[in-house]
Every structure is written in structure tokens, then in C-alpha cells.
Amino acid sequence: MTAVHHAPTTSGNADSDAETAADDADIRACVRGCAERARAAAAVLATLTRATKDQALLSIADALDAQTERIVAVNDADVRRARQDGTSDGLVDRLTLDAGRIAAIAQAVRDVAALDDPVGDVVRGYRLPNGLDVAQVRVPLGVVGMIYEARPNVTVDAAVLCLKSGNAALLRGSSSAAATNRVLAEVMREALAASEVPVDAIQLVPGDTHDSVTHLMRARGLVDVIIPRGGKGLIERISAEAKVPVIKHLDGNCHVYVDAQVDLGLAVTVTDNAKTQKYSPCNAAESLLVHRAVAPEFL
């Protein structure tokens, strides 16, 4: 018998690999383009006065109120898709925005505007024997990359906290909230367009795959710090793969402590609210500690 050798056909795989490589290069270019624009915006942000930044924040809050119907309509589509995908009720609740929640987000933006400006705050200082004054002063970091899961309210929270502290924000939320995150970013950027704050101080990182996350956290020289917010798996992955500094949390255990000297009625209210207002958030109470002197009466 004569053995017949069939050479493997590779052209199909080669074409697929080439397309994948091209797609990855496009995503990388998009992410780096966002980061470059954020870097330019950060240079301007660092020079702005508190009044300028606060006025921009108030404009964002007003825009969120004014665009509530638009945001809710887009969010409804994300929620319907999540339910069709079999997402748990807890995660769907985190994803959902209604008029009340948007009003609360807008008020939170106003609360941030009312905070003292951290930029230029002197933390500590001293004078050397030779008369030289040395001071530790708070300054903006530059470009902050936020990577987070599920909750679209984080899109606004992260953006406005970065703006208040003079930093440009690169926002990368989860695909489950992609449409909601997009409209929230659009509303905020529209508000900035009428202010002295560069529009590119707030950007949504393009892409709905892990590739965009990878390129964001490896953009050394363009991104100054990555802040992940989400589950343990997300935090561990970013900690292992990031090429830029990471500010992170990991496991946590939220406590409520009831001391001996306490208004028992208020303590009951606080304890109940800390757990039952919402069960799913990461800051919901997980442990209750009660001073032994008041334990019999409180419990």
C-alpha cells in the first residue's frame, strides 16, 4: 500500500489570525488615541480654578436631570437584554436606573461640587535649618483609568470625582451596561462642551471585549493609574496584568459597631439601613459588632 500524505490546509486559519491581529491593532489604536486625548485634557485640567471645575460639575448635574427620560429609555434596553441573558435579579437591580436613581446621581454630583478643592491642599510642611520650606502638597495624578462592573452610576461617580481632583477620566464599564454607560458619558461630555473644561476630560474607552481593558491597563506613559472596581476575579486579573500602577481593593467585610454610649433607637435605624436599604452593594453591612454593655438591650 502506498501512503498518501495530505498537506494540512492553513490558509483559512491564517486569514482568521490576520483578521484577529488587525482587529486587535485597531482596538489598541483606539484606546491609545483616547489616552492621548485624555493626557492633553489633563494638562489643562491641572490649571483650572475650583470655580471653573465646580461650574462644570453643576452643569453635569443639571444635564443629568434634564436628560432623565433619554437615559432611562436607553437603560431599559440594557435591562431587558440582561434579563433575556438570565442575569440574576441582584445584578439587574444594580444595572437599573430610574428617575429617582438618576436624581440621586445628579444630587451626588452637586455634593461633589460642594466639597473643598483637594488640588493645592498642603498636607504637611516644615522648615529646614537653612530656611528652606518643604511642603507636601496634593496635585492631580493626571489620567485615571477606571475599570468597573455592572453599575452604570459608577460612570458618573468616577468621572466627577476625577474632574473635581483635576484628573482626566478614562472609563471602561462592563458590556452589560454598555448602552447606559455610553449615554451617560454623552450627557456629561455635552455639558462640558459649554464649559471651560476640555470635553476629553471624560471619555468612555471604546470596545466591549477584554482586549480594550488589556490595552488600557498597559498604556504606560499615557495612563497614570488604574482603579478597578468590581469582583475578586477582576481585581486579581488587573493586578497581575497591568503595566501601570493600580489602586485596588480586594476582599472586604463591612462592619457596623454599636458602642456602649449610644442612642438605641438611632442605632437600630442605622443598623437596619446599612443592610436592608440594598442587599447587593459592596458597602452593605456584613458584620454587626455590639458592645457587651449594651448588647442585652440592643439585641
mmCIF file of all heavy atoms in Angstrom, residues 67 114 170 178 213:
data_model
loop_
_atom_site.group_PDB
_atom_site.id
_atom_site.type_symbol
_atom_site.label_atom_id
_atom_site.label_comp_id
_atom_site.label_asym_id
_atom_site.label_seq_id
_atom_site.Cartn_x
_atom_site.Cartn_y
_atom_site.Cartn_z
ATOM 1 N N GLN A 67 -31.896 65.246 31.092
ATOM 2 C CA GLN A 67 -31.876 64.131 30.138
ATOM 3 C C GLN A 67 -32.347 62.817 30.768
ATOM 4 O O GLN A 67 -32.053 61.739 30.246
ATOM 5 C CB GLN A 67 -30.457 63.955 29.592
ATOM 6 C CG GLN A 67 -29.931 65.130 28.799
ATOM 7 C CD GLN A 67 -30.674 65.319 27.486
ATOM 8 O OE1 GLN A 67 -31.140 64.363 26.888
ATOM 9 N NE2 GLN A 67 -30.797 66.562 27.052
ATOM 10 N N ALA A 114 -19.634 70.698 45.981
ATOM 11 C CA ALA A 114 -19.591 71.458 47.239
ATOM 12 C C ALA A 114 -18.372 71.115 48.091
ATOM 13 O O ALA A 114 -18.065 71.837 49.051
ATOM 14 C CB ALA A 114 -20.870 71.200 48.033
ATOM 15 N N LEU A 170 -10.674 58.005 32.109
ATOM 16 C CA LEU A 170 -10.921 57.027 31.050
ATOM 17 C C LEU A 170 -11.778 55.925 31.671
ATOM 18 O O LEU A 170 -11.321 55.214 32.566
ATOM 19 C CB LEU A 170 -9.607 56.453 30.520
ATOM 20 C CG LEU A 170 -8.749 57.420 29.703
ATOM 21 C CD1 LEU A 170 -7.415 56.766 29.340
ATOM 22 C CD2 LEU A 170 -9.471 57.864 28.445
ATOM 23 N N ALA A 178 -23.337 48.669 28.605
ATOM 24 C CA ALA A 178 -22.631 49.432 27.575
ATOM 25 C C ALA A 178 -23.444 50.607 27.057
ATOM 26 O O ALA A 178 -22.940 51.732 26.947
ATOM 27 C CB ALA A 178 -22.251 48.504 26.421
ATOM 28 N N VAL A 213 -9.710 46.444 27.649
ATOM 29 C CA VAL A 213 -9.238 46.519 29.030
ATOM 30 C C VAL A 213 -7.733 46.277 29.081
ATOM 31 O O VAL A 213 -6.987 46.989 29.765
ATOM 32 C CB VAL A 213 -9.971 45.495 29.917
ATOM 33 C CG1 VAL A 213 -9.392 45.495 31.339
ATOM 34 C CG2 VAL A 213 -11.460 45.785 29.962
#
